[in-house]
Amino acid sequence: MLPTSYDCDIAAAHATTAEEEYLETLFWLFEAGLPMTGANLARAMQLSAPTVHEMLGRLERDGYITRSADRMVRFTDAGREYAEHTVSRHRMIERFLTDIVGVPWDDVHEEAEQLEHAMTPRFEAYVRSSVGDAKTCPHGHPIRVGERVAGVPLADCEPGAKVTILRFENEAEDLLHYLKDVGLEPGREGRIAANDGQHVDVAFEEGTSTVTVSVAETVSVVADPSPPPRIALPEQLVLGRERYGR
């Protein structure tokens, strides 16, 4: 868990913007329980295998990761700390842009992506003060990355189950637009009206939202009764035209 001040005191040199983007995506895989491999990283960022391999070599040389004979990528202690700080900062900026500036939650991910790399420590402290005790980003991910609440894929929930939308595992902007359009939003409570293996209907007081099972795979919920815990499949999480969100 990050220190209260969110300081990131690591021995490695300050990461470049490109390195930070890779570290964020690697942490996305780690946090979601997906294997940290070059193949999954390439799939997540929609980049070629040689491009990803080259950057992984740079991250390894700079002391952020190690790679084993089985092709698994692992954070060094310094690398994980840096990745946690970068991800926390991104989510904090999203909350600031949504709550303070008024940017719609389905537009905020890419805006935060641009802002986070240009933020000075002084402005970051101001932003953190402005969001106060906010626990999550607008898409349901914890700002303090060690405080992730366990959920289950919406795709697994049976008809009749009560559900609370917990978070969106894929924050690709086109997918966020779709989820908002159909009426899904973190914090909303409803009941599974139908799940035929192809579509899931969630009944809310204001109406019913219908999504495909592939989209429902990317939505984590708290359910009662709850299906068994399961990690979403990485190929089903890559639904955005651009790449995974983080």
Side-chain angles (χ1 to χ4, degrees):
M1 185 179 297
L2 293 173
T4 301
S5 65
Y6 286 84
D7 290 333
C8 191
D9 182 17
I10 66 174
H14 183 77
T16 65
T17 296
E19 286 178 322
E20 286 188 348
E21 291 180 353
Y22 273 78
L23 288 171
E24 282 186 274
T25 307
L26 281 169
F27 192 80
W28 185 93
L29 294 170
F30 171 79
E31 193 177 39
L34 302 173
M36 291 171 59
T37 63
N40 273 347
L41 186 61
R43 180 186 293 116
M45 300 187 77
Q46 297 195 10
L47 296 173
S48 70
T51 297
V52 169
H53 180 77
E54 180 180 357
M55 178 56 79
L56 287 176
R58 185 190 304 179
L59 290 172
E60 189 171 26
R61 289 193 300 271
D62 288 348
Y64 295 106
I65 65 167
T66 61
R67 289 183 289 177
S68 58
D70 61 0
R71 300 185 180 181
M72 293 296 295
V73 177
R74 293 176 175 84
F75 286 119
T76 62
D77 290 344
R80 177 166 171 177
E81 184 181 356
Y82 199 101
E84 287 181 346
H85 176 82
T86 303
V87 168
S88 172
R89 181 178 61 197
H90 176 92
R91 293 171 180 174
M92 175 267 298
I93 295 169
E94 288 185 328
R95 178 56 69 185
F96 173 79
L97 291 175
T98 299
D99 292 4
I100 308 301
V101 181
V103 179
W105 63 259
D106 57 326
D107 288 333
V108 75
H109 185 73
E110 296 302 322
E111 296 298 330
E113 199 61 38
Q114 298 300 316
L115 182 59
E116 67 179 272
H117 301 297
M119 177 175 288
T120 66
R122 181 179 179 180
F123 185 61
E124 180 176 345
Y126 169 76
V127 170
R128 289 198 184 276
S129 176
S130 298
V131 301
D133 60 355
K135 302 297 184 185
T136 70
C137 76
H139 314 124
H141 297 266
I143 293 175
R144 290 187 177 274
V145 295
E147 299 177 358
R148 180 179 170 95
V149 177
V152 295
L154 177 63
D156 291 357
C157 296
E158 297 291 335
K162 296 180 180 179
V163 296
T164 300
I165 308 298
L166 189 58
R167 61 180 165 265
F168 300 140
E169 301 295 356
N170 185 337
E171 295 172 272
E173 190 167 288
D174 55 320
L175 183 57
L176 292 178
H177 293 326
Y178 173 78
L179 290 166
K180 185 176 182 180
D181 287 345
V182 299
L184 296 186
E185 184 172 350
R188 290 199 74 186
E189 298 179 351
R191 186 182 296 273
I192 304 298
N195 184 349
D196 63 3
Q198 296 183 329
H199 295 86
V200 180
D201 298 342
V202 186
F204 300 104
E205 288 186 3
E206 301 84 357
T208 299
S209 299
T210 301
V211 294
T212 64
V213 165
S214 292
V215 170
E217 184 79 14
T218 73
V219 180
S220 284
V221 301
V222 175
D224 181 21
S226 179
R230 176 177 67 81
I231 295 172
L233 302 176
E235 62 269 21
Q236 290 180 287
L237 287 179
V238 187
L239 296 176
R241 288 191 299 269
E242 298 300 324
R243 58 182 182 179
Y244 290 124
R246 281 150 338 261

